[in-house]
Amino acid sequence: MNPIASEERLACARAGGPDEGPRLDSRVTVLRGVGGERAAQMERLGLRTVGDLFWHRPARYEDRRKFTPIRDVLLGTPVTVCGRIIAVGNHRFRKGTKSCFEFILDDGTARLHCRWWNLPFLEKFYSVGNEVLAYGKPNSLRPRTMDHPDAEKIEAGDDERVHFGRIVPVYPLTEGMPQRTLRWIIWHGIDRFLPHLPETGPWRTPELLGEPAAALGRREAVQMLHFPAELPEAEHARQRLALDELAALQREIQGRRQRLNLKAPGLPCGGDNRLMRPFLLGLPFKLTGAQTRVLREIRADLAGLHPMRRLLQGDVGSGKTLVAACAALMTVESGYNVALMAPTELLAEQLHRVLDRALGSLGIGVGLRTSNTRQEPDAGSVPELGSVWVGTHALIQKAVEFPRLGLVIIDEQHKFGVAQRETLLRKGNFPHLLVMTATPIPRTLGLTLYGDLDVSLLDELPQGRGRVRTHVRTPDTLPKVWLFVARQLAAGRQAYVVYPRVSESEHDDVKSVTREFEKVRDALAPHATAMVHGRMPSVERTRIMDAFRDGRVQVLMATNVIEVGVDVPNATVMVIENAGQFGLAQLHQLRGRIGRGSHESHCILVEGERTEEARERLKVLAETTDGFAIAEADLRLRGPGELVGRDQSGLPGFRFANLACDGKLLEAARASVRRELAAETAKFAVKPAASTSAQ
Ligand code: ADP
Ligand code: MG
């Protein structure tokens, strides 16, 4: 390359010369009217470069083609009005510590009072004679009043096209940045730089045929997002940009999977049935149809060409542990070791006990590893067999090694992060992976979080389970609730009583298990009551769990440490106090602890809090026991971040996509990326010699 020519080009670019177009990664200061202070404000909004302007999504839109006459405003209905200020005042009260700034707008039809509390500096911005737009909900009609409206002063020389006579964007702001200024900056930024945004064109996927969003190019979508001609255009634009986001993520997820398949052969872990057959024959029940189907899928994977990456989704009580045990058996038969990771010590200990009993008799060593316990698997009597390690996070510590690791199983996957899963996998040479989750997740979320996994569904509960009835009660009915529980105990059943806290907090009156213990024990005497929570020594906890399992303890008072995995079929009652403190998924999990035997079970949700959202949650729970329906409701009520736990989730922060409502877009993006990758693979694959067919 000619060094001088490139020097020249650089100089040209610095001077904004004619050859080089303006670049999207230029700082916002290249824009007219943006100096150092504005740039600092914009940086607080995430706007560093001119390209960032495109993606600053309006919080809402205002139709300024027509204003509502002040005379016609209605109580509680949001409107935009336009008028002139005829009076201004700033009242101070409470010895000057509080204030109320107010002006009166007149538009010729009527007057409107606009008020702001404790923002005295507004006084500097508005004076009599100013023309002002105000958006808000009138909260009184006598006189007509709006508290804390969004107000915007109309200045002489304002660009008509940007602020009026159209649908205008209203952006998220930061201190010191007026709406009008940012709108103006973005308008001009788009005007000048949009032609330099790489165009990606309309989406021509058959899945989205006829969808207005798919017909848009990227540039068109950006333009419409900010300055739509009609309101629906803004939504189409959002969807179009969401498609790009979803596709980018699918490309990453599916690409990762494809690379794994290319570089790693699957370890042969399909087994030969010599242990499986006696194991299944020894079970006191038959596998459900779903279990049989899923095990077939798993065996095909374990014996397949590539490492298994499979998600087993099954509602609480659908029998995932048994599936895990069978997958472990296949692996052990093949001479490989298995690591099974569970999120809590309680669950790890329980899994260890179950597997040790089930597999130990076949000569398989089952070890346990938690931060408190370390129990080596007994060297089995058959030397060519592998062994099974059960444990908590302790399994992924640096020093822990698993030779010949064939299969990694993760129970209650939603409690772990992607990083933890990967750490455990790296302890072997591309072992197979089975992750299990009892919190069904909506499909959109599943494809986003676990898009690189194949999914098996345990959609059938074992026969002979009693029904679970759910009741919502208020705290004043507790005496009756305890009477009901006592009757169940007298009939030989057992009960859980669950609290959101270990001990009380000074900030609220949410009940805690330690505070309520004596009260409940006395109410349910003479039945034996004990308590478990996360802040007690694990030896103690194990002792109490054993006593509950054996029936020596009839009432178990607990925090949500019992949320996952605990399996005591004789427990048929669960009372959850301050139930509104728990999320839907958590409540569903908790409730999954009962209804495991043949007796009818009862879940009593005591509603301590009266927020609308909490009540809505309890209502969903009372209406259905279907985990998938509950998950969809949860996504709708709380959004994806809350649903999976933002920090652990590996959930991308979408700007435009919304997993609660963009299912169709996601499916389309996924299908399209899949075709794209398949076409690429075909291109790189060795071409069959063309000459043979030509002859
Ligand atoms: P989860 O899917 O919630 O982990 P578990 O694996 O704990 O469920 O199983 C719940 C209970 O169902 C256990 O007591 C288990 O022994 C029992 N179980 C599993 N499979 C079957 C089956 N096919 N028939 C009857 N009971 C079963
Ligand atoms: Mg389980």
Side-chain angles (χ1 to χ4, degrees), residues 180-461:
R180 211 180 49 251
T181 307
L182 184 58
R183 189 181 299 130
W184 190 88
I185 292 172
I186 290 182
W187 169 281
H188 284 275
I190 288 178
D191 195 40
R192 186 164 151 210
F193 289 98
L194 191 59
H196 301 279
L197 176 70
E199 181 58 280
T200 52
W203 269 69
R204 301 190 198 289
T205 72
E207 291 83 4
L208 293 176
L209 210 67
E211 292 285 328
L216 300 177
R218 189 148 77 132
R219 288 183 198 157
E220 204 179 358
V222 169
Q223 177 73 46
M224 280 184 181
L225 178 79
H226 292 275
F227 295 97
E230 296 293 338
L231 262 185
E233 283 187 4
E235 170 59 12
H236 297 154
R238 181 198 70 78
Q239 290 179 7
R240 172 62 185 76
L241 299 173
L243 267 172
D244 281 352
E245 269 179 347
L246 294 165
L249 185 73
Q250 286 299 315
R251 222 166 268 133
E252 190 187 314
I253 290 172
Q254 294 186 32
R256 197 188 314 146
R257 175 63 186 267
Q258 200 176 40
R259 284 193 299 280
L260 173 75
N261 282 354
L262 287 177
K263 79 180 162 200
L267 302 172
C269 291
D272 56 11
N273 263 332
R274 75 195 135 123
L275 298 175
M276 184 71 89
R277 201 165 293 127
F279 173 74
L280 292 179
L281 284 174
L283 287 177
F285 44 69
K286 272 181 53 194
L287 295 183
T288 63
Q291 282 170 325
T292 307
R293 189 190 67 232
V294 166
L295 279 171
R296 209 172 292 137
E297 292 166 352
I298 289 176
R299 190 193 288 280
D301 279 2
L302 290 178
L305 292 174
H306 306 296
M308 170 166 82
R309 291 289 176 270
R310 190 165 283 278
L311 169 68
L312 175 57
Q313 274 207 67
D315 215 336
V316 263
S318 56
K320 290 182 294 295
T321 314
L322 185 58
V323 172
C326 291
L329 261 179
M330 297 173 195
T331 309
V332 170
E333 278 176 346
S334 313
Y336 285 90
N337 294 322
V338 177
L340 194 168
M341 184 160 71
T344 64
E345 242 177 282
L346 203 68
L347 183 52
E349 285 161 9
Q350 176 174 299
L351 284 169
H352 174 252
R353 186 178 32 252
V354 169
L355 292 179
D356 195 29
R357 205 169 39 205
L359 308 182
S361 58
L362 300 167
I364 301 167
V366 182
L368 175 66
R369 182 160 209 145
T370 68
S371 46
N372 292 306
T373 332
R374 182 180 172 156
Q375 192 179 324
E376 299 289 332
D378 281 337
S381 47
V382 195
E384 67 271 25
L385 290 183
S387 49
V388 178
W389 276 99
V390 182
T392 55
H393 299 77
L395 287 175
I396 58 179
Q397 281 160 8
K398 267 224 182 70
V400 184
E401 279 176 42
F402 301 104
R404 286 182 73 75
L405 183 59
L407 170 64
V408 165
I409 305 176
I410 299 184
D411 198 8
E412 308 294 342
Q413 147 79 19
H414 60 289
K415 297 271 171 185
F416 292 101
V418 178
Q420 288 163 316
R421 165 177 121 190
E422 292 302 314
T423 314
L424 188 51
L425 281 176
R426 256 180 263 120
K427 303 232 173 229
N429 188 21
F430 298 105
H432 298 284
L433 172 72
L434 177 66
V435 306
M436 310 200 290
T437 180
T439 309
I441 44 175
R443 183 172 160 81
T444 50
L445 205 52
L447 290 179
T448 305
L449 285 175
Y450 311 122
D452 54 340
L453 305 179
D454 298 310
V455 178
S456 287
L457 222 50
L458 269 186
D459 48 4
E460 183 185 347
L461 293 182

Side-chain angles (χ1 to χ4, degrees), residues 3-312:
I4 296 172
S6 83
E7 264 300 297
E8 251 169 24
R9 239 197 331 265
L10 265 181
C12 236
R14 267 186 234 116
D19 280 354
E20 288 279 330
R23 298 164 41 132
L24 294 185
D25 59 2
S26 314
R27 295 293 311 271
V28 289
T29 41
V30 303
L31 292 163
R32 202 146 53 91
V34 179
E37 197 180 337
R38 279 272 176 261
Q41 291 165 349
M42 290 174 72
E43 182 136 10
R44 285 207 296 276
L45 291 169
L47 307 175
R48 260 180 66 82
T49 69
V50 292
D52 294 337
L53 297 180
F54 301 149
W55 319 117
H56 192 58
R57 187 174 159 191
R60 60 183 180 83
Y61 300 86
E62 230 174 86
D63 190 343
R64 291 191 179 166
R65 290 173 298 190
K66 180 164 132 289
F67 299 113
T68 306
I70 292 177
R71 187 186 51 209
D72 298 340
V73 302
L74 298 173
L75 205 59
T77 308
V79 281
T80 308
V81 301
C82 179
R84 203 171 280 284
I85 297 181
I86 56 167
V88 181
N90 199 11
H91 322 287
R92 290 183 183 274
F93 48 98
R94 293 252 182 100
K95 298 191 181 123
T97 56
K98 307 267 174 197
S99 68
C100 175
F101 172 74
E102 171 170 7
F103 59 62
I104 301 175
L105 279 187
D106 189 330
D107 71 349
T109 68
R111 290 173 181 181
L112 178 72
H113 293 247
C114 298
R115 303 189 296 188
W116 290 263
W117 268 269
N118 304 320
L119 297 171
F121 61 85
L122 286 178
E123 206 172 8
K124 282 189 283 196
F125 293 104
Y126 297 99
S127 45
V128 171
N130 287 163
E131 210 180 337
V132 171
L133 290 168
Y135 167 85
K137 283 185 203 167
N139 46 319
S140 160
L141 292 183
R142 271 201 211 130
R144 293 180 178 84
T145 308
M146 266 189 206
D147 286 342
H148 287 259
D150 279 3
E152 212 177 301
K153 198 160 71 174
I154 300 172
E155 310 256 351
D158 262 355
D159 197 329
E160 275 283 331
R161 292 167 308 164
V162 184
H163 306 290
F164 310 109
R166 62 169 313 122
I167 293 170
V168 298
V170 179
Y171 295 103
L173 293 176
T174 181
E175 201 184 321
M177 172 71 87
Q179 187 61 248
R180 211 180 49 251
T181 307
L182 184 58
R183 189 181 299 130
W184 190 88
I185 292 172
I186 290 182
W187 169 281
H188 284 275
I190 288 178
D191 195 40
R192 186 164 151 210
F193 289 98
L194 191 59
H196 301 279
L197 176 70
E199 181 58 280
T200 52
W203 269 69
R204 301 190 198 289
T205 72
E207 291 83 4
L208 293 176
L209 210 67
E211 292 285 328
L216 300 177
R218 189 148 77 132
R219 288 183 198 157
E220 204 179 358
V222 169
Q223 177 73 46
M224 280 184 181
L225 178 79
H226 292 275
F227 295 97
E230 296 293 338
L231 262 185
E233 283 187 4
E235 170 59 12
H236 297 154
R238 181 198 70 78
Q239 290 179 7
R240 172 62 185 76
L241 299 173
L243 267 172
D244 281 352
E245 269 179 347
L246 294 165
L249 185 73
Q250 286 299 315
R251 222 166 268 133
E252 190 187 314
I253 290 172
Q254 294 186 32
R256 197 188 314 146
R257 175 63 186 267
Q258 200 176 40
R259 284 193 299 280
L260 173 75
N261 282 354
L262 287 177
K263 79 180 162 200
L267 302 172
C269 291
D272 56 11
N273 263 332
R274 75 195 135 123
L275 298 175
M276 184 71 89
R277 201 165 293 127
F279 173 74
L280 292 179
L281 284 174
L283 287 177
F285 44 69
K286 272 181 53 194
L287 295 183
T288 63
Q291 282 170 325
T292 307
R293 189 190 67 232
V294 166
L295 279 171
R296 209 172 292 137
E297 292 166 352
I298 289 176
R299 190 193 288 280
D301 279 2
L302 290 178
L305 292 174
H306 306 296
M308 170 166 82
R309 291 289 176 270
R310 190 165 283 278
L311 169 68
L312 175 57

Side-chain angles (χ1 to χ4, degrees), residues 590-607:
L590 282 168
R591 182 173 59 180
R593 299 307 117 215
I594 55 174
R596 293 179 162 242
S598 56
H599 296 278
E600 183 172 72
S601 291
H602 299 269
C603 178
I604 300 158
L605 305 169
V606 185
E607 141 186 89

